[in-house]
Structure formats: structure tokens, C-alpha cells
Amino acid sequence: MSASNTLTHAQKVLRLYKKSLRHLESFCATRHKFRYQATLLRARFDDHKDEKDLVKAARLLKEGQEEFWKKQHPQPYIFIDSPGGTRFERDLPSPEWVLDHWHPSERANYPTYFAKYEKRKQWEKERWDKLIEEENALLAGQK
């Protein structure tokens, strides 16, 4: 794993906080109860936000993750479009290359759209060719 793929301590804490909030939503039936519990949760995180001792901060994070694991909701709410949701990856939009296979009579119904589409395709092709040339020039310069 490269250095850019590792998470900082702050990122881990933020992810734990967000996961905890989402699971808290699953436990609370009404919005005002959730807001109260969310305020208590935020206070727990804020108590240690200025922790200077890195060892203690790492220990607190580990304890928080263990507590989350023990107390997580057995059936958390999952947004329908999220992975695991009931509508995830259903009815995906068609890829753009499908438009290239439209019959000219179908294209005639949308002249301005297809004019812009052809312009964009040409621009993307020119841009891609330019990037390839730049990459080849860089590779040639390294040899």
C-alpha cells in the first residue's frame, strides 16, 4: 500500500464518527431522539479533539472502533442507491457509445444535441491525441 492510500488519524476518526452517526440513526425512531443522541456522541468526540499525545489518541481510536463494533446496529439503514441498497446499480444509464449506433432518422429528432455531441467527441479525441503525444515525448526524453 502506498503512502497516498493510507488514512491519517484524523480521517480515521472522521470515518468512525460518520459511521457511528449513521448507525445511531438506525437505532433512533424519531428525529428529536436522534438529534439528542447525536449531540451526546459529538460531545464524546469533542472531549478528545485536541489530544496531543499520539499514543493516547491511537488508543482512543482503537477503543472507539471496538465500541462501535460491539454496539453497531444489526440491520443498519442503507440508502437505496448505495452498495447493498435495493436499487444499487439498477437501470444504469446507457454508455455514450450507444448514441453512435442511432439511425440517422432518430438523430434527426435531436439535431442540436447531436451537433454538440459530435463537437464534444471531436474535442475529446483531439485532447486524447494530445495527451498521448505528450506522454510519448516524456517517455522519449527519459531514454
Side-chain angles (χ1 to χ4, degrees):
M1 182 179 271
S2 69
S4 63
N5 290 340
T6 59
L7 296 174
T8 65
H9 176 78
Q11 289 172 323
K12 291 177 185 177
V13 171
L14 288 172
R15 287 183 180 194
L16 174 63
Y17 176 70
K18 186 172 180 179
K19 277 196 310 188
S20 300
L21 267 182
R22 288 293 178 205
H23 279 257
L24 193 59
E25 272 182 317
S26 298
F27 278 111
C28 298
T30 58
R31 192 70 183 166
H32 69 278
K33 288 180 183 177
F34 165 71
R35 289 302 312 144
Y36 177 72
Q37 292 298 326
T39 305
L40 296 178
L41 179 67
R42 178 64 188 251
R44 288 183 65 192
F45 275 83
D46 283 345
D47 287 342
H48 302 286
K49 74 177 181 181
D50 295 323
E51 186 63 50
K52 301 291 184 220
D53 183 9
L54 296 178
V55 174
K56 184 178 179 187
R59 182 178 47 80
L60 286 169
L61 176 62
K62 187 173 186 322
E63 289 171 3
Q65 289 170 334
E66 289 170 356
E67 181 181 346
F68 171 78
W69 181 254
K70 289 176 188 172
K71 294 183 177 182
Q72 67 182 331
H73 196 277
Q75 277 188 312
Y77 178 78
I78 300 172
F79 294 100
I80 59 173
D81 290 332
S82 298
T86 55
R87 201 172 74 187
F88 180 65
E89 290 190 343
R90 281 193 189 180
D91 299 326
L92 292 174
S94 300
E96 280 200 3
W97 59 262
V98 171
L99 296 173
D100 293 334
H101 299 289
W102 277 33
H103 191 271
S105 64
E106 294 173 315
R107 287 172 168 249
N109 292 326
Y110 308 98
T112 55
Y113 176 81
F114 278 99
K116 289 178 185 176
Y117 173 68
E118 293 300 329
K119 233 185 206 178
R120 190 176 71 244
K121 265 185 22 181
Q122 183 60 34
W123 177 80
E124 287 176 357
K125 183 181 180 329
E126 290 168 2
R127 183 175 159 266
W128 181 254
D129 291 341
K130 182 181 173 189
L131 287 172
I132 295 295
E133 287 175 17
E134 290 174 4
E135 187 71 22
N136 289 337
L138 284 173
L139 290 174
Q142 288 179 355
K143 291 181 181 178

